[in-house]
């Protein structure tokens, strides 16, 4: 087992229509406005950007995002990641009842940041909890953002 390899999956039930959720999620440069742990997103061009993330632990991650699949018809938004974490992340937004949606977040990455690699074995449960808390805050932030727009 590679202790620096992570797979995450989160399901967010939201009270906004899938097309509205998709449009918010595709504007990644606005994530810091509703997701507190996404500290900064800087667009490099039309298909890439830099992201700076920090959750509960006092450890910041930086990565370059490269647009992958972007398909409003299927609700898929996917990016490649390189930097402190290498891999990919994907949103899949689907209709859930009248006026609601389900946002599925999937991520598969390998940690490259040296400090996190050294702590991979003893701190793995803490890193997973840190990610879970980040996702919880993201869901809450997105729900509030969707209510305001």
């Amino acid at each position: 087992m590679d202790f620096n390899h992570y797979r995450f999956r989160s399901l967010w039930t939201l009270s906004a229509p899938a097309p509205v959720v998709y449009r918010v999620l595709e504007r990644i440069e606005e994530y810091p406005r509703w997701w507190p742990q996404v500290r900064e997103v800087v667009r490099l061009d039309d298909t890439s950007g830099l992201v700076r993330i920090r959750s509960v632990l006092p450890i910041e991650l930086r990565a370059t995002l490269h647009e992958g699949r972007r398909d409003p018809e299927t609700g898929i938004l996917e990016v490649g990641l390189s930097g402190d974490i290498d891999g990919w992340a994907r949103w899949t937004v689907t209709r859930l009842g009248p006026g609601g949606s389900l946002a599925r977040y999937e991520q598969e990455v390998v940690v490259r940041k040296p400090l996190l690699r050294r702590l991979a074995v003893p701190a793995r449960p803490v890193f997973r909890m840190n990610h879970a808390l980040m996702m919880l805050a993201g869901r809450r932030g997105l729900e509030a953002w969707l209510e305001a727009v």
Side-chain angles (χ1 to χ4, degrees), residues 36-92:
Q37 292 78 14
V38 179
R39 302 301 172 100
E40 181 181 35
V41 177
V42 177
R43 278 239 180 236
L44 297 174
D45 55 35
D46 288 343
T47 62
S48 64
L50 301 172
V51 64
R52 189 170 53 89
I53 301 166
R54 180 174 172 223
S55 188
V56 176
L57 295 176
I59 298 169
E60 185 173 277
L61 295 176
R62 293 173 183 259
T64 302
L65 308 174
H66 308 277
E67 184 178 305
R69 188 170 173 195
R70 187 177 189 163
D71 186 351
E73 291 298 314
T74 60
I76 294 175
L77 290 165
E78 187 172 294
V79 295
L81 301 157
S82 59
D84 290 339
I85 51 176
D86 289 344
W88 57 269
R90 177 188 315 125
W91 287 108
T92 305

Side-chain angles (χ1 to χ4, degrees), residues 3-53:
F3 288 99
N4 289 295
H5 180 256
Y6 291 86
R7 286 186 182 149
F8 298 107
R9 182 175 172 217
S10 296
L11 301 173
W12 296 357
T13 302
L14 302 163
S15 58
V20 172
V21 173
Y22 184 91
R23 283 192 300 273
V24 169
L25 291 175
E26 75 179 339
R27 292 192 296 265
I28 194 161
E29 64 276 1
E30 293 184 9
Y31 279 34
R33 299 172 90 188
W34 56 265
W35 198 337
Q37 292 78 14
V38 179
R39 302 301 172 100
E40 181 181 35
V41 177
V42 177
R43 278 239 180 236
L44 297 174
D45 55 35
D46 288 343
T47 62
S48 64
L50 301 172
V51 64
R52 189 170 53 89
I53 301 166

Side-chain angles (χ1 to χ4, degrees), residues 77-116:
L77 290 165
E78 187 172 294
V79 295
L81 301 157
S82 59
D84 290 339
I85 51 176
D86 289 344
W88 57 269
R90 177 188 315 125
W91 287 108
T92 305
V93 182
T94 55
R95 183 176 182 270
L96 189 65
S101 60
L102 177 68
R104 172 181 289 131
Y105 180 80
E106 299 168 280
Q107 182 181 43
E108 187 168 344
V109 295
V110 173
V111 174
R112 299 290 182 214
K113 189 169 184 133
L115 172 63
L116 299 182

